[in-house]
């Protein structure tokens, strides 16, 4: 069993390396699975299916690449090995695999001109779960290692943890109201998201760090 407050030691270090390696394998598998399952059209006129498959792959590749980068940074600087973070990490990996599975179903339905609203909602909710779990691991690491981190790492950690939390919220909102999403909503939501990332999150980071240093 892993001690509740285990953060150092040879056994914990070995477990950490194996956990990170396993996580890399799962994330790499998810990307490979998306590539292998790219739809191969049966007829030349099926251009729409090709565009749908490539668009879905490209968007997911970028989002999963963010997951890998955040995961790497968390493990290299912030991760604390406890029962809770271990469960969070395995839940994250399982959710990522299921999200890719749901994505394949959603793209298949879209290519068939079916109504995939409910499946796409599940797809967005899957990303919300993944980003929430990633953010939770980062917040826990920040709280535990706060006094040991330098100012640059504190700023990066609080900023990215806030960004992950906002991103997860946006995914959950998309999942909840996807059927009613219109161009007007996107035009309004886009500037609000930029305002949150560029103005509110930096101010929040400054306030948090000032209050704890």
């Amino acid at each position: 069993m892993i001690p509740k407050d285990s953060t150092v030691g040879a056994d914990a270090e070995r477990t950490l390396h194996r956990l990170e390696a396993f996580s890399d394998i799962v994330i790499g598998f998810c990307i490979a699975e998306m590539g292998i399952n790219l739809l191969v059209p049966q007829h030349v006129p099926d251009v729409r299916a090709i565009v749908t498959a490539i668009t879905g792959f490209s968007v997911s590749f970028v989002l999963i690449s963010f997951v890998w980068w955040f995961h790497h940074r968390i493990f290299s600087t912030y991760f604390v090995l406890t029962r809770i973070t271990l469960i969070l990490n395995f839940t994250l990996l399982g959710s990522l695999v299921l999200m890719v599975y749901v994505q394949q179903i959603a793209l298949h339905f879209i290519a068939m001109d079916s109504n995939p609203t409910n499946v796409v909602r599940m797809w967005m909710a899957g990303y919300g779960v993944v980003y929430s779990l990633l953010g939770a691991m980062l917040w826990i690491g920040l709280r535990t290692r706060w006094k040991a981190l330098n100012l640059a790492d504190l700023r990066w950690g609080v900023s990215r943890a806030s960004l992950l939390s906002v991103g997860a919220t946006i995914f959950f909102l998309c999942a909840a109201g996807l059927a009613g999403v219109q161009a007007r909503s996107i035009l309004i939501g886009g500037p609000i998201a930029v305002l949150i990332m560029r103005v509110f999150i930096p101010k929040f980071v400054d306030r948090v760090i000032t209050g704890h240093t």
Side-chain angles (χ1 to χ4, degrees), residues 78 139 142 146-147 149-162 200-213:
Y78 307 92
W139 282 120
L142 279 166
W146 190 273
K147 292 183 179 180
L149 295 171
N150 60 46
L151 185 60
D153 286 335
L154 282 176
R155 282 192 170 278
W156 190 95
V158 175
S159 174
R160 297 317 186 272
S162 303
F200 291 107
I201 288 181
K203 287 185 177 181
F204 173 74
V205 171
D206 290 337
R207 180 174 298 179
V208 169
I209 292 178
T210 301
H212 289 77
T213 54

Side-chain angles (χ1 to χ4, degrees), residues 38 77 85 91 170 178 182 188 194:
L38 282 173
T77 308
T85 55
T91 306
I170 291 174
L178 193 65
Q182 299 176 351
I188 295 173
V194 173

Side-chain angles (χ1 to χ4, degrees), residues 39-81:
L39 181 65
V40 178
Q42 300 297 319
H43 308 286
V44 175
D46 294 339
V47 178
R48 183 176 182 273
I50 300 175
V51 173
T52 299
I54 292 176
T55 302
F57 173 83
S58 301
V59 171
S60 292
F61 184 86
V62 171
L63 293 174
I64 293 178
S65 295
F66 283 141
V67 171
W68 179 87
W69 174 245
F70 284 132
H71 190 275
H72 166 69
R73 285 285 283 140
I74 290 170
F75 266 71
S76 64
T77 308
Y78 307 92
F79 190 78
V80 180
L81 186 59

Side-chain angles (χ1 to χ4, degrees), residues 2-3 6-19 81:
I2 298 174
S6 175
T7 57
V8 294
D11 289 341
E13 197 69 28
R14 188 182 311 129
T15 302
L16 218 111
H17 287 312
R18 294 201 65 189
L19 187 61
L81 186 59

